[in-house]
């Protein structure tokens, strides 16, 4: 990915802030080394310098790559104000005591016009690198690919009637009703909003690949899962072995598609198209290893998880939340969860191998999540160009027969307010939770992506 980095400078002569003795070349070398050493393994930085007399064409020519950073080494060039309206997204940095007047003016214009551009000025190098890292998450997201497994054939009338009785009016039913045409429109919206490409494969392609998996590899992975589990409750060994075969098939197809995320429209495929294995354990393994596996073909949750992983390096926990309006608690419940919620290099937390709860079939996870950690919960809406967000603290786990297997309890400021601010028409039921306080970072990313933020804690 290519990032344009433009230095805004002046001739170091006459009466001039930051001073007639300003060492522009020295400051350029400082930033070039800082960026290359910190981010050079992932990004190619292209460096230029411009002065106040630069033409609009000079500025516009720098805005077509994957990202744009301007560093104001001098005050009075006006380049920050001029480039902000041209950018699809960007970050403008005040070199301390360099462009300090300009960045104040520029920030005001950006706020007024709601440009997808961030600004930062600080002498704290780690804080600066953090702001740059958050910005560089955006080109990562926009260069991502999602592999999703779906079928579009209509069910028989009898099967469809049974499906409606079972599933009701939720997101799975809406995706089925939308069909191939509606799905295609959704892909166009996602591409236009996030730049993310979607690759679609069928259940047959997945099953054909499962049939080719080396059974010794699958047996070894199944043994690892069982050995590391606290308990295997309902599933049989064959259920876990079948899940391991699916994992290797999904990984192979993911590599072939050069995808960053894998999702399976599992509820629909299991009910209507004879999927025999839920992908819960496959996604468990992926998310533990720093990859992204998302259930139910929820593309908004896929993109949300891309944002979470790019910012935090941690897995998102997609859930169907139960909001307890009287205790200021939310229980995030799902049958896919990572046992490494603090990231792939951190400790594992206990888990049990259970069945997928709604139909007591196949194999899924009940993870015992850690307590005492801040939690940030978000969801994007491609169709609404929006992001929801709320915060809380992990305080426990629920072991209850109803609902999905993993149930993380979150203490929030006002669960009633969050329920009232849910905006289900935009974000549906699912939310995606990450361990850690990333509220400010996610709001920054939303700004760069041109998303309206729905603060569910405070609206």
């Amino acid at each position: 990915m290519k990032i344009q980095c433009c230095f805004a400078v002046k001739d170091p002569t006459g009466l001039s802030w930051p001073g007639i003795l300003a060492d522009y070349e020295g400051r350029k070398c400082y930033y070039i080394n800082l960026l290359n050493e910190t981010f050079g393994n992932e990004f190619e930085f292209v460096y230029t310098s411009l002065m106040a007399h630069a033409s609009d064409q000079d500025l516009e020519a720098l805005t077509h790559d994957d990202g744009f950073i301007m560093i104001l080494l001098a005050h009075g060039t006006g380049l920050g104000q001029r480039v902000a309206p041209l950018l699809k997204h960007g970050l403008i940095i005040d070199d301390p005591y360099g462009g300090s007047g300009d960045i104040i003016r520029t920030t005001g214009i950006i706020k007024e016009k709601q440009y997808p551009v961030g600004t930062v000025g600080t002498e704290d190098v780690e804080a600066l690198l953090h702001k740059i890292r958050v910005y560089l998450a955006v080109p990562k997201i926009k260069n991502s690919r999602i592999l999703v497994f779906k079928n579009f054939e209509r069910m028989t009338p009898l099967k469809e009637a049974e499906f409606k009785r079972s599933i009701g009016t939720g997101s799975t039913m809406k995706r089925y009703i939308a069909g191939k045409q509606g799905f295609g429109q959704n892909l166009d919206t996602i591409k236009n909003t996030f730049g993310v490409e979607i690759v679609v494969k069928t259940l047959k392609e997945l099953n054909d690949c499962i049939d080719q998996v080396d059974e010794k590899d699958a047996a070894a992975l199944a043994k690892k899962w069982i050995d590391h589990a606290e308990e295997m409750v309902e599933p049989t060994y064959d259920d876990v072995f079948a899940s391991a075969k699916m994992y290797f098939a999904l990984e192979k197809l993911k590599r072939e598609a050069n995808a960053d995320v894998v999702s399976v429209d599992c509820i629909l495929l299991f009910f209507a198209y004879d999927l025999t294995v839920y992908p819960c354990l496959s996604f468990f393994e992926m998310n533990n290893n720093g990859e992204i596996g998302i259930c139910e073909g929820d593309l908004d949750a896929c993109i949300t998880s891309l944002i979470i992983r790019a910012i935090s390096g941690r897995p998102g926990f997609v859930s169907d939340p139960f909001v307890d309006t009287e205790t200021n608690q939310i229980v995030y419940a799902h049958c896919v969860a990572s046992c490494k919620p603090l990231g792939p290099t951190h400790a594992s937390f206990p888990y049990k191998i259970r069945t997928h709860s709604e139909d007591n079939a196949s194999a899924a996870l009940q993870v015992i999540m850690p307590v005492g950690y801040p939690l940030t919960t978000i969801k994007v809406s491609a169709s609404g160009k929006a992001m929801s967000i709320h915060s809380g603290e992990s305080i426990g786990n629920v072991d209850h027969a109803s609902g999905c297997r993993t149930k993380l309890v979150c203490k929030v400021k006002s669960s009633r307010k969050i329920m009232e601010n849910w905006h289900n028409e935009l974000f549906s039921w699912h939310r995606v939770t990450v361990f850690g306080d990333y509220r400010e970072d996610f709001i920054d990313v939303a700004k760069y992506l041109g998303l309206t933020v729905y603060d569910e804690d405070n609206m």
Side-chain angles (χ1 to χ4, degrees), residues 124 304 427:
D124 184 330
T304 304
F427 304 108

Side-chain angles (χ1 to χ4, degrees), residues 52-92:
H53 56 71
S55 69
D56 291 342
Q57 290 77 18
D58 291 334
L59 284 169
E60 197 274 336
L62 303 179
T63 65
H64 301 294
D65 290 312
D66 297 300
F68 178 89
I69 296 172
M70 177 172 278
I71 301 175
L72 306 180
L73 298 182
H75 165 69
T77 67
L79 293 175
Q81 297 98 299
R82 289 173 58 197
V83 79
L86 305 177
L87 295 172
K88 53 191 176 184
H89 50 77
L91 177 65
I92 300 176

Side-chain angles (χ1 to χ4, degrees), residues 141-196:
I141 294 159
K142 284 183 167 286
N143 282 277
S144 297
R145 304 182 90 194
I146 297 169
L147 171 61
V148 61
F149 292 87
K150 288 185 67 68
N151 280 17
F152 295 102
E153 298 87 355
R154 306 305 290 187
M155 302 179 210
T156 65
L158 185 62
K159 189 78 169 177
E160 190 169 295
E162 183 186 354
F163 184 61
K164 288 178 180 178
R165 285 195 300 273
S166 299
I167 298 297
T169 59
S171 298
T172 301
M173 177 57 73
K174 290 176 182 176
R175 287 195 298 272
Y176 173 71
I177 292 171
K180 192 169 187 178
Q181 182 178 356
F183 184 76
Q185 292 170 349
N186 192 28
L187 300 196
D188 292 339
T189 302
I190 288 170
K191 184 67 175 177
N192 292 335
T193 303
F194 298 103
V196 175

Side-chain angles (χ1 to χ4, degrees), residues 163-409:
F163 184 61
K164 288 178 180 178
R165 285 195 300 273
S166 299
I167 298 297
T169 59
S171 298
T172 301
M173 177 57 73
K174 290 176 182 176
R175 287 195 298 272
Y176 173 71
I177 292 171
K180 192 169 187 178
Q181 182 178 356
F183 184 76
Q185 292 170 349
N186 192 28
L187 300 196
D188 292 339
T189 302
I190 288 170
K191 184 67 175 177
N192 292 335
T193 303
F194 298 103
V196 175
E197 183 179 351
I198 312 295
V199 179
V200 183
K201 291 186 179 295
T202 65
L203 176 58
K204 182 181 185 306
E205 290 173 284
L206 176 56
N207 284 336
D208 288 347
C209 193
I210 289 173
D211 290 341
Q212 298 169 16
V213 169
D214 187 321
E215 295 198 350
K216 290 181 180 178
D217 292 337
L221 181 58
K223 182 177 186 302
K224 185 189 85 166
W225 287 337
I226 293 168
D227 288 348
H228 291 180
E230 277 195 342
E231 186 181 3
M232 186 161 73
V233 185
E234 303 91 354
T236 66
Y237 172 82
D238 288 344
D239 292 324
V240 180
F241 177 73
S243 295
K245 289 188 69 176
M246 174 179 272
Y247 166 76
F248 285 108
L250 288 172
E251 282 286 5
K252 180 177 185 293
L253 293 167
K254 173 176 172 283
R255 288 192 302 271
E256 290 175 354
N258 194 27
D260 303 278
V261 185
V262 180
S263 188
V264 177
D265 197 359
C266 46
I267 301 293
L268 184 56
L269 290 177
F270 205 96
F271 188 95
Y273 302 104
D274 300 320
L275 175 70
T276 58
V277 183
Y278 277 111
C280 305
L281 280 165
S282 297
F283 294 157
F284 165 77
E285 186 72 13
M286 289 181 182
N287 292 329
N288 287 344
N289 294 337
E291 302 173 73
I292 303 174
I294 302 298
C295 47
E296 297 184 40
D298 185 340
L299 297 181
D300 283 345
C302 290
I303 295 163
T304 304
S305 298
L306 277 168
I307 293 170
I308 287 173
R309 181 72 76 178
I311 292 298
S312 69
R314 294 175 173 181
F317 174 42
V318 180
S319 74
D320 296 321
F322 160 60
V323 181
D324 189 325
T325 58
E326 306 311 302
T327 64
N328 289 328
Q329 294 181 10
I330 300 177
V331 180
Y332 304 116
H334 236 224
C335 287
V336 175
S338 170
C339 69
K340 293 189 174 184
L342 305 182
T345 62
H346 290 259
S348 295
F349 289 89
Y351 67 90
K352 299 177 182 180
I353 299 176
R354 305 291 304 273
T355 50
H356 183 262
S357 65
E358 288 96 325
D359 48 7
N360 198 35
S362 190
L365 279 304
Q366 180 182 359
V367 177
I368 311 304
M369 296 289 198
V371 300
Y373 286 85
L375 300 174
T376 312
T377 297
I378 62 173
K379 181 76 179 296
V380 301
S381 166
S383 62
K385 294 195 71 173
M387 175 189 285
S388 68
I389 188 166
H390 66 257
S391 302
E393 180 185 357
S394 64
I395 62 168
N397 295 266
V398 174
D399 190 354
H400 193 289
S402 297
C404 298
R405 295 300 188 187
T406 299
K407 298 182 180 70
L408 168 65
V409 185

